[in-house]
Amino acid sequence: MDKLMEVEGSILLFEKAHKMKVKEQLQARLDMCNQFSKSMAEKSAEQLKRFEEMMELKQRQEKHQLLELLEKGSKEALGQQEKLKEEHRHRAKLLTLKLREAEQQRQQEIERIRQEEGRERMRRLWSLQQEVLQLVQKIQVDYKQQEALRVDLSSYGHRGNQICGMLSSVIRSSTERGYPTQDDVNLGEHSLQEMQMLASTIEKELAAAEQRKKAEEEAAKEKQKEAQLQAQQQQQQATPQTTAPAQDSKQEGLPKKVSNSTLQRYLDLQKGLEQCQKACEDLATCKDPQTKKIRANLQRAVTIPVSQISSVSGSQVRDTFEKINNFLMGKPVVFAGQTILLSQHPLGQEFVSLKLAEKLVNQGEEEVASHHESAFPIAYVASALWERYPKVGELFLANLHKKCPYTVPLYPPFKKGTSLEDYQRLMGYQVKDSIMEQQDSFLKRMSGMIRLYAAVMQVRWPYGTSQGNHPHGLNHGWHWFAQMLNMEPLSDLTATLLFDFLEVCGNAMIKQYRNQFWKLLILIKDQYFPKIEKITTGTEMGSVSRLKHFLEEAVRRRDIPLPKGYLQPSFWRT
């Protein structure tokens, strides 16, 4: 029983201990839960705090981004505004520059008009001075008659000289300061009027004096008749004795005029040229846009190929000729993408022939003058065209004679009433604004044209089967030499022409005429060249020295070498 109670007591103690242990575990678990809850609460609080901080940071960032966007927009607006301001300033600057340029152009136009008016006044003054000088010469000539007519015209002569001196002084002073004023022109016109009055008064006084003298002669007519008869008889007796000296004097002085046949040929060529120019006048001056386009195309179809002629290769020269020949035959030519036909205008044939001839002469005047070796390729094309189209050849020769009358040869005479500028142009000089070109430039152009002329005479187109005579062969070169040697030489010019002609054509003339040409060359050296030396001044010895050296070398070696630029047969195979 005690043991049972001991067992029950042990069980109760165990249960109590177990309850205590469970209670302790439960309390520990409860403490742990409380601690966990507390920890979770603290953690939640911390997370909430971090979330709030994150949200606050995000708000600040969004605010900052918004501020940046606003600032960026403001900057862009300011930049756009600044750009607009800069564009405005640039446009204002451009407008200012344009206004300034417009003002400068206006000032330049005013200055151009002023200079043009000044040049016109200067030309008017020169014209007035020329007329005054002519009247002074007339007064001086008339003044020489005063002794024969027993009248005193010295006061008129003195006054005329004073007027000339005053007008010369006005022109000199106006030239120094630039251009003459209208007052200077008025003074010149007044001087001319006074000179005309002087000349008219002198004419009246001379007429009155001649009337008086005629009356005196009528009174003494019977007494002088017998003396006149005796003088005539003496003159008839002296005529046979003076015939021979007269012939000698004629031989001593050579004329300055070509033969009548040569002159007539020259006039016929110029007449034909004028007729062709007149026929083409409607096409050349037409203002219709379509006609102007046709005219420009027709001209380019022949002038551009001519300007492309060179000594690069024979095939290039042949192609150039074929282009021109095909066009003249009526075949279409393509230029700058346009098809051009000669039949596009009724005057096409005449117009193209005229412009082709002018361009060939211009090549001699410009290209050959600067590059002597270019004479032969141009001459081959000109000779071939001349042979196939005689009209082109005639116009070429007429234009050549007009620009270089020494290819005739012709020394244009000065005719009464011809102005100085017109006479200078007749001589071949270029005159611009009343200013004549320099002598060196003039001789260079004449040299180019005479060289082209000499080359044309001796060449024949190497292609084709034509067996006829040369359209303008070396016989014309012989004729040119003969005419030159029958005329008085001109200072500087004659030596230049002879040298250029001999250098280009001399070798061909030797082969053609042999001993006859050598006689002609010796005649030039021994008889004609001294005439050139006699009229040559110290500043013109260059051309004379070249001619002298050429003649001496040719006679010494009895040979003239081939000219520079001569095209050998091998050239045409290139």
Side-chain angles (χ1 to χ4, degrees), residues 242-255 486 488 531:
T242 57
T243 300
Q247 293 174 350
D248 293 340
S249 64
K250 186 176 181 180
Q251 291 175 353
E252 290 175 2
L254 295 174
N486 284 329
E488 284 288 350
K531 293 179 179 290

Side-chain angles (χ1 to χ4, degrees), residues 406-424:
Y406 315 104
T407 55
V408 178
L410 174 68
Y411 301 157
F414 182 81
K415 296 181 180 179
K416 188 176 181 181
T418 304
S419 66
L420 182 60
E421 290 184 16
D422 290 339
Y423 181 65
Q424 288 169 345

Side-chain angles (χ1 to χ4, degrees), residues 30-49:
L30 181 62
D31 292 338
M32 187 178 67
C33 286
N34 289 334
Q35 189 177 2
F36 180 76
S37 296
K38 184 179 180 180
S39 175
M40 290 302 294
E42 290 177 355
K43 190 175 181 180
S44 296
E46 288 293 330
Q47 287 181 352
L48 178 61
K49 189 177 180 180

Side-chain angles (χ1 to χ4, degrees), residues 132-146 150-165 191-209 212:
V132 167
L133 290 173
Q134 290 175 351
L135 288 173
V136 164
Q137 292 177 355
K138 183 177 179 182
I139 290 174
Q140 290 174 349
V141 171
D142 293 339
Y143 175 75
K144 294 178 182 179
Q145 299 176 5
Q146 63 181 340
R150 296 194 296 277
V151 292
D152 186 10
L153 303 176
S154 58
S155 60
Y156 299 108
H158 292 323
R159 181 53 186 164
N161 290 331
Q162 289 176 355
I163 292 173
C164 288
S191 300
L192 177 60
Q193 292 175 359
E194 187 174 353
M195 286 295 296
Q196 290 173 341
M197 291 176 61
L198 288 176
S200 177
T201 304
I202 288 176
E203 287 179 357
K204 292 178 181 178
E205 291 198 12
L206 287 175
R212 290 194 301 270

Side-chain angles (χ1 to χ4, degrees), residues 267-498:
L267 295 175
D268 291 343
L269 286 170
Q270 295 306 307
K271 184 178 179 181
L273 175 61
E274 291 174 2
Q275 289 175 349
C276 184
Q277 290 173 338
K278 189 173 182 180
C280 298
E281 188 173 356
D282 291 340
L283 176 57
T285 59
C286 183
K287 302 298 183 182
D288 177 63
Q290 185 64 27
T291 306
K292 288 172 66 176
K293 183 178 180 181
I294 293 173
R295 179 180 67 211
N297 286 337
L298 290 174
Q299 185 169 343
R300 285 196 290 261
V302 291
T303 56
I304 290 180
V306 171
S307 63
Q308 294 172 346
I309 299 173
S310 67
S311 56
V312 174
S313 67
S315 58
Q316 188 267 348
V317 177
R318 184 177 184 181
D319 290 343
T320 300
F321 168 74
E322 291 298 336
K323 288 179 184 178
I324 302 172
N325 184 46
N326 290 337
F327 185 65
L328 291 175
M329 290 173 64
K331 297 180 181 179
V333 172
V334 178
F335 178 79
Q338 298 182 2
T339 302
I340 308 172
L341 277 169
L342 197 63
S343 58
Q344 285 179 316
H345 195 277
L347 297 173
Q349 186 75 42
E350 288 283 326
F351 181 76
V352 167
S353 298
L354 178 63
K355 293 303 174 182
L356 178 57
E358 290 176 355
K359 182 61 178 178
L360 287 169
V361 175
N362 288 343
Q363 286 295 97
E365 184 182 17
E366 298 169 2
E367 180 66 20
V368 180
S370 301
H371 306 93
H372 292 170
E373 65 276 6
S374 65
F376 281 95
I378 299 172
Y380 270 101
V381 175
S383 175
L385 292 170
W386 197 336
E387 188 171 346
R388 287 160 179 76
Y389 307 97
K391 179 71 173 180
V392 175
E394 295 290 302
L395 292 173
F396 166 76
L397 192 58
N399 272 288
L400 188 67
H401 288 345
K402 185 176 182 179
K403 283 200 168 185
C404 180
Y406 315 104
T407 55
V408 178
L410 174 68
Y411 301 157
F414 182 81
K415 296 181 180 179
K416 188 176 181 181
T418 304
S419 66
L420 182 60
E421 290 184 16
D422 290 339
Y423 181 65
Q424 288 169 345
R425 290 190 178 95
L426 285 176
M427 293 285 288
Y429 288 91
Q430 291 181 345
V431 182
K432 185 177 182 180
D433 294 333
S434 302
I435 300 175
M436 186 180 72
E437 69 175 321
Q438 296 294 324
Q439 184 71 3
D440 291 345
S441 174
F442 166 71
L443 291 176
K444 183 179 179 181
R445 291 191 304 104
M446 297 302 109
S447 174
M449 286 185 280
I450 201 72
R451 282 177 174 272
L452 176 61
Y453 184 47
V456 168
M457 292 182 184
Q458 58 181 296
V459 298
R460 297 292 298 272
W461 188 241
Y463 304 103
T465 57
S466 178
Q467 300 296 326
N469 293 329
H470 192 293
H472 198 81
L474 288 174
N475 57 313
H476 291 274
W478 182 272
H479 178 76
W480 185 85
F481 270 115
Q483 292 290 327
M484 284 290 289
L485 299 183
N486 284 329
M487 297 165 64
E488 284 288 350
L490 295 181
S491 177
D492 205 11
L493 180 62
T494 302
T496 300
L497 297 175
L498 285 175

